[in-house]
Amino acid sequence: MSLSNSIPNIITIGRILLVPVIVWAIASNEMAIAFAVFVIAGVSDAVDGFLAKRFNMSSELGALLDPLADKALLVSIYVSLGIWGAIPRWLVILVVSRDIMIVGAVIISWLFGKPVPMKPLMVSKLNTVAQVGFAAVVLGALGFDIEPAPYDLILMISVTLLTLVSVSLYLIEWTRHMSTIEPRR
């Protein structure tokens, strides 16, 4: 792989390195900094995706790193904001539990020698958009003392519903996929 083909991966690794910065900013009550770093992370996600697609710089490593970076960022922000008390803890538990269930299902599939094809569902893409939007509204409201209502409530309800639908559909699909395993005798 040439240096030019690794540029999107370098950008993605940079986004992963921003995760502790955002966690520090939230824990230090530096919400304007957390919001700014979140925006930088979002722009970097768009840039690495654009470069990978537009200039044929996609790679297997990038296909693994990009969703990892997105999950690390969102889970860290949700957990930090939940601990800080800025978002309901039940929502943090729901969002994190969904990701743990999906990762657990993938690991179990591998252990049984029946890997699940990794293709995001449309509802999961919408869920990610809602999660990003909710995090941005909460961080922006805290960082710049802006009243987020009613957008925070609308996005929180969207995240809740889309998370529940997403995990349900993934688990149904995974159960169908795994039901073809022959029982050991």
Side-chain angles (χ1 to χ4, degrees):
M1 178 187 326
S2 71
L3 177 61
S4 64
N5 283 348
S6 64
I7 291 171
N9 294 341
I10 292 168
I11 294 169
T12 301
I13 291 168
R15 190 163 69 255
I16 292 169
L17 295 174
L18 291 176
V19 170
V21 176
I22 289 179
V23 171
W24 164 83
I26 293 169
S28 301
N29 197 22
E30 297 289 345
M31 297 303 181
I33 293 172
F35 179 79
V37 174
F38 184 67
V39 169
I40 291 167
V43 169
S44 79
D45 189 24
V47 168
D48 72 45
F50 173 77
L51 291 174
K53 289 181 182 110
R54 177 74 167 96
F55 297 104
N56 198 25
M57 294 180 179
S58 298
S59 68
E60 285 185 52
L61 178 61
L64 294 171
L65 282 179
D66 191 63
L68 175 68
D70 294 344
K71 285 296 153 204
L73 185 69
L74 283 172
V75 166
S76 297
I77 288 172
Y78 273 69
V79 169
S80 298
L81 288 173
I83 291 169
W84 201 78
I87 62 175
R89 289 190 175 114
W90 63 263
L91 184 61
V92 174
I93 293 166
L94 180 65
V95 167
V96 173
S97 295
R98 172 199 173 268
D99 290 340
I100 290 170
M101 282 189 260
I102 291 170
V103 169
V106 168
I107 290 170
I108 290 169
S109 301
W110 286 342
L111 291 174
F112 276 92
K114 193 143 173 76
V116 178
M118 297 301 293
K119 54 179 188 227
L121 301 173
M122 180 54 74
V123 69
S124 290
K125 292 179 181 184
L126 293 172
N127 185 33
T128 299
V129 169
Q131 286 181 6
V132 168
F134 183 60
V137 165
V138 171
L139 288 171
L142 293 170
F144 302 103
D145 199 29
I146 299 168
E147 177 56 47
Y151 307 108
D152 59 337
L153 182 60
I154 292 167
L155 286 165
M156 187 173 71
I157 291 168
S158 299
V159 168
T160 302
L161 294 175
L162 290 168
T163 299
L164 290 169
V165 170
S166 172
V167 74
S168 298
L169 292 176
Y170 273 124
L171 289 176
I172 288 168
E173 186 63 34
W174 179 78
T175 303
R176 281 188 194 139
H177 177 79
M178 295 302 288
S179 68
T180 62
I181 292 177
E182 294 295 320
R184 294 182 186 178
R185 299 191 195 259

